[in-house]
Amino acid sequence: MVKARIVRIACKGFALQRAHLSYLSRDGAGKDRGRGQFYDREQEGVESREFLARGREDHHHLRFIVSPEDGQHLGDLKPFVRELMGQMEADHGTRLDWIATDHYDTDHPHSHVIVRGVREDGRDLVMDRDHISRGVRQRAGAILTRELGLETVHELEAKLDGLTQTPRVTRMDRLLAQRARECASPLKLGHLLLSGFGGSGGIGDGSEAVFG
């Protein structure tokens, strides 16, 4: 999963960004309940205030939350994030100024990446919506597949079972909601629900799906 947000730095934006970085480095968010530690392409223990000082006059920054599926099997997320950011640099033909921190305070380890909204030549960095919504996700997926390998049938079945039993909104719920909007016929929707939940036992057995 990859989420992205553009943050304006002008006026109150700089103070809000400073508060956000402070929150990301809070106690308990990092590995072994330690503080969140920032790093960049080359080193760890990076000071966020130096990053902020460089970007004080920027028009905008970009915030990414990268939560790799099965990220707990990677152990250390830093090599994954560094490679992903390197590919983003190649995609846009410029060196990027970024810092990141990895959080382990949820069931799914994830990384917060902050990117200055400027290219190496000083021009504004513009990322189109398609690259953010699909390109970055595909890049991340390719890295994970190479590092962890393809999932077996049993692994996929176990993951599917977990998604149908969890009480919160999952990726399957979002996928089914999207597919439901594409279905004009109730008959088609019923077939989708049955196939999506693995057969006739999926509906009315206590599982919950969210649409819309």
Side-chain angles (χ1 to χ4, degrees):
M1 180 191 72
V2 177
K3 293 183 179 180
R5 180 183 178 188
I6 297 176
V7 180
R8 307 299 178 186
I9 298 301
C11 299
K12 296 182 179 180
F14 181 81
L16 293 175
Q17 185 73 319
R18 181 172 54 197
H20 178 66
L21 291 176
S22 177
Y23 175 73
L24 292 181
S25 62
R26 69 190 183 275
D27 286 330
K31 206 162 191 177
D32 300 322
R33 298 186 177 277
R35 291 181 62 84
Q37 299 289 329
F38 287 104
Y39 60 93
D40 59 19
R41 67 168 50 77
E42 298 171 346
Q43 58 185 340
E44 301 174 16
V46 172
E47 292 290 342
S48 61
R49 60 174 176 269
E50 296 178 3
F51 174 82
L52 276 175
R54 293 196 301 271
R56 190 179 189 94
E57 302 301 323
D58 293 347
H59 181 260
H60 67 280
H61 287 176
L62 296 100
R63 297 177 185 172
F64 291 92
I65 301 177
V66 183
S67 181
E69 189 170 359
D70 297 325
Q72 67 273 18
H73 299 308
L74 287 175
D76 186 3
L77 294 176
K78 295 180 185 65
F80 166 78
V81 171
R82 283 170 170 151
E83 182 171 352
L84 178 62
M85 295 308 297
Q87 293 190 6
M88 288 176 63
E89 290 181 330
D91 289 340
H92 291 86
T94 184
R95 186 181 176 92
L96 300 176
D97 190 357
W98 61 271
I99 59 174
T101 182
D102 304 329
H103 282 185
Y104 297 85
D105 55 346
T106 68
D107 292 338
H108 301 281
H110 57 280
S111 304
H112 295 264
V113 185
I114 313 298
V115 185
R116 288 182 59 203
V118 293
R119 300 172 63 87
E120 193 172 11
D121 59 8
R123 291 181 296 154
D124 282 349
L125 174 66
V126 179
M127 292 188 180
D128 62 69
R129 188 179 300 273
D130 182 69
H131 179 78
I132 291 176
S133 63
R134 289 191 292 180
V136 178
R137 186 178 296 113
Q138 290 172 354
R139 295 290 194 192
I143 297 172
L144 281 177
T145 298
R146 189 195 68 223
E147 293 297 321
L148 300 179
L150 296 174
E151 295 176 308
T152 67
V153 172
H154 293 300
E155 288 172 335
L156 289 171
E157 288 178 344
K159 186 175 295 182
L160 178 62
D161 183 64
L163 288 174
T164 59
Q165 298 301 323
T166 186
R168 59 183 173 79
V169 177
T170 67
R171 289 181 298 104
M172 175 174 285
D173 296 323
R174 297 187 184 96
L175 175 61
L176 289 177
Q178 179 181 349
R179 294 292 300 276
R181 287 192 291 269
E182 299 170 358
C183 292
S185 165
L187 180 60
K188 289 182 180 179
L189 177 57
H191 175 73
L192 171 65
L193 289 171
L194 290 175
S195 61
F197 279 101
S200 59
I203 304 300
D205 62 351
S207 300
E208 181 180 10
V210 178
F211 297 94

